[in-house]
Amino acid sequence: MTALLPRLLMIAFCLSHVLAFGPSPALSRRCLTSTATRLFSTAPKPLDQIIRLRGSVDEGYGRGGKKLGFPTANLPSSLFQNALEEVPTGVYMGYAWIEGTDSGRGMPQKAAVNVGYSPTFEGKENKEKIVEAHLILEEEGMTDFYHEVMRLSLIGFLRPEKKFDAFPDLVAAITNDIATAKEYLDEDPFVSSKTDSFLSSETWIGQDGGDDKASWEFQDW
């Protein structure tokens, strides 16, 4: 009941605003999106350690922007030696930063991130653990990030990786993951990571391993 209370309060706020001031399309959309996200999603759990990764985006399997319909940037675990072996498979959330000065680059982007093997694609599972970031973009036009350098900060856990019975079920789950990440990344304790110097510093090499091509670190909050 305690976990449900904030969601009920959100519904009450939306209804009270409509009753007091009349319907507002913009507010209604925000309320409906926020309320649906909170009613049907589990609140993300902050990670014990922030996972910071930097590396060149791989072409992956063409499932993100092309098949799933979400702009996706992949970092194969082989970039980071064995650093990701103990990271549980599942869906995370955090902030991405595509290096560069072109449209949408050089700024923090919210992201829902799958770490795992894509078990729904039976017979075509990832051969290695892949960090698959679905970027939640504020502007159109950013679709391909192949061979560009991405910095990725994972700060919250959404759910375990799951094999879905049907492809539309996977798309629905990712859509919900993205909505949840977009909602909660604006709240404490997650929002402070948007201004993490890791994302915006001119150069960065992780303290736990790697070089100027690819590196990583795990850091307590």
Side-chain angles (χ1 to χ4, degrees):
M1 183 63 186
T2 302
L4 187 61
L5 184 58
R7 308 175 190 193
L8 296 176
L9 290 174
M10 178 66 72
I11 296 173
F13 166 76
C14 293
L15 292 175
S16 64
H17 192 282
V18 170
L19 292 173
F21 303 105
S24 164
L27 178 66
S28 296
R29 282 194 299 272
R30 288 197 300 272
C31 276
L32 286 172
T33 300
S34 178
T35 301
T37 297
R38 292 174 183 271
L39 279 175
F40 299 108
S41 303
T42 302
K45 178 183 178 182
L47 300 183
D48 293 333
Q49 290 185 309
I50 297 171
I51 302 172
R52 297 190 180 103
L53 307 170
R54 178 182 181 272
S56 178
V57 174
D58 188 69
E59 292 188 15
Y61 295 86
R63 296 169 182 156
K66 295 177 181 177
K67 190 168 184 179
L68 293 173
F70 307 103
T72 303
N74 297 310
L75 297 176
S77 62
S78 55
L79 281 176
F80 312 108
Q81 299 178 22
N82 62 350
L84 299 181
E85 283 186 3
E86 301 303 318
V87 175
T89 60
V91 181
Y92 296 76
M93 70 176 195
Y95 285 95
W97 180 289
I98 305 294
E99 296 182 5
T101 58
D102 291 342
S103 176
R105 278 69 175 173
M107 64 178 64
Q109 306 282 3
K110 296 175 182 177
V113 184
N114 188 80
V115 177
Y117 300 92
S118 299
T120 296
F121 295 91
E122 188 169 356
K124 297 182 179 180
E125 298 88 349
N126 303 340
K127 296 179 181 179
E128 63 174 303
K129 186 181 286 186
I130 284 183
V131 178
E132 188 176 25
H134 303 295
L135 304 191
I136 305 170
L137 305 175
E138 297 298 332
E139 57 183 274
E140 301 294 331
M142 290 183 68
T143 55
D144 290 329
F145 315 98
Y146 301 149
H147 310 302
E148 297 188 56
V149 176
M150 179 173 68
R151 303 184 190 192
L152 188 62
S153 174
L154 304 183
I155 55 179
F157 186 81
L158 296 176
R159 62 174 176 84
E161 186 175 46
K162 178 182 177 182
K163 181 176 181 179
F164 293 91
D165 294 330
F167 183 72
D169 296 336
L170 172 63
V171 173
I174 295 176
T175 300
N176 187 66
D177 295 334
I178 289 173
T180 303
K182 185 175 183 179
E183 177 81 14
Y184 282 94
L185 284 169
D186 283 331
E187 299 184 4
D188 291 328
F190 307 111
V191 68
S192 61
S193 293
K194 186 176 182 178
T195 56
D196 187 348
S197 61
F198 153 69
L199 295 173
S200 57
S201 61
E202 186 173 346
T203 60
W204 184 85
I205 296 178
Q207 296 181 5
D208 291 331
D211 52 29
D212 61 348
K213 302 297 183 184
S215 64
W216 62 92
E217 73 177 27
F218 298 77
Q219 186 181 63
D220 294 337
W221 284 78

